[in-house]
Amino acid sequence: MVRNATPQPGWKPHPGPVPILVYHALGEAPPTEEYPGLYVSEPEFEEEMVWLHRQGYEAVTLDRAEAAWYHGGTLPTKPIVITFDNGYPAQVTFAPQVLSRYGWPGVLFEITEEHLRPSEIRPVIKLGWEVDSHSATHPNLTELSGSELEYQVAASRRYLRRKFHVPSDNFCYPSSEYDAATIAAVKEAGYVGAVTENAGYASRDLPYELDRYEIEGGNGVEGLAADLASGAS
Ligand SMILES: [Zn+2]
């Protein structure tokens, strides 16, 4: 277990907003990639984590932030949540090596019927990472209803809970597409919160529309610094 997987002495109550970052693939984008910005190179990722550490940020899980928002839990002075969408190998091999240097857990939003194998996910759960659902197959949820929507939202959570014995209390909307019916399905499935890709700091006032900063390749430390400064109150 990494240090910040559990509350530490000196952490304080923190009802206020918390920044959440989202990374997609880590590594070099293939030349044919349509959206190369979704790839952050490993050196760039590492520089961003070093910068956060030097700025005094400390990563925690989203569960921990929610415990502070809703149940009087505590957080470090400058908390941040670092999330990884879809489930790519480097997110559970390279990223944990870097985060663990600082005692930081990450949050993996896994597409439960694609991407990583259980044997690839278990090591990060051992480190104290949070593993949550990013749906079963990454469809646009606003185009689904009834049992199809239930399957993507609720069955994907049941799968993670059964397979890994983790709470999976948070959901991640595929491609940040959601509407009132999607939010209702997420609540119905028992989730505590859900994340978007709307830029901003996540606030306890909007538990099913938690903002995140999408970190793109090439924007580097300056881009990250500008994001964090833009949302700071
Ligand atoms: Zn996604």
Side-chain angles (χ1 to χ4, degrees):
M1 278 277 202
V2 294
R3 187 186 63 243
N4 282 7
T6 50
Q8 296 298 304
W11 288 14
K12 302 258 163 41
H14 187 112
V18 172
I20 307 178
L21 309 182
V22 48
Y23 286 89
H24 295 91
L26 300 175
E28 299 297 334
T32 52
E33 172 59 45
E34 204 178 336
Y35 305 105
L38 294 179
Y39 285 73
V40 173
S41 76
E42 292 187 351
E44 188 171 345
F45 176 78
E46 206 165 351
E47 278 168 32
E48 289 168 358
M49 296 305 110
V50 168
W51 182 82
L52 286 173
H53 172 68
R54 290 197 181 138
Q55 295 296 310
Y57 285 99
E58 288 194 62
V60 294
T61 60
L62 184 50
D63 286 337
R64 199 58 65 200
E66 288 164 335
W69 287 339
Y70 310 125
H71 304 293
T74 58
L75 291 177
T77 312
K78 286 176 83 172
I80 192 163
V81 178
I82 302 169
T83 70
F84 301 89
D85 279 14
N86 296 9
Y88 299 110
Q91 295 176 334
V92 290
T93 53
F94 179 72
Q97 284 173 28
V98 178
L99 297 190
S100 294
R101 278 179 218 155
Y102 307 115
W104 296 351
V107 177
L108 174 67
F109 285 109
E110 166 75 356
I111 303 168
T112 59
E113 287 186 15
E114 298 170 10
H115 292 264
L116 298 168
R117 292 188 298 272
S119 61
E120 294 174 295
I121 293 174
R122 284 200 183 93
V124 298
I125 292 175
K126 279 215 180 87
L127 285 175
W129 281 44
E130 177 177 333
V131 176
D132 294 313
S133 171
H134 188 26
S135 83
T137 60
H138 212 275
N140 180 342
L141 295 179
T142 64
E143 293 169 356
L144 304 182
S145 61
S147 62
E148 285 185 327
L149 183 57
E150 200 274 348
Y151 182 75
Q152 294 291 335
V153 173
S156 62
R157 179 180 188 221
R158 286 197 295 273
Y159 163 80
L160 291 173
R161 288 168 66 93
R162 202 169 50 230
K163 188 87 191 168
F164 301 108
H165 309 287
V166 293
S168 296
D169 276 336
N170 292 293
F171 186 75
C172 176
Y173 304 112
S175 307
S176 200
E177 302 272 10
Y178 64 97
D179 59 16
T182 323
I183 292 177
V186 166
K187 282 186 194 170
E188 174 71 26
Y191 288 102
V192 173
V195 297
T196 71
E197 287 177 352
N198 307 327
Y201 279 39
S203 152
R204 66 171 177 177
D205 301 329
L206 284 174
Y208 299 103
E209 293 172 85
L210 297 171
D211 290 344
R212 293 187 300 173
Y213 290 107
E214 187 176 17
I215 306 303
E216 294 198 348
N219 292 348
V221 162
E222 285 103 70
L224 174 56
D227 281 343
L228 291 172
S230 72
S233 45

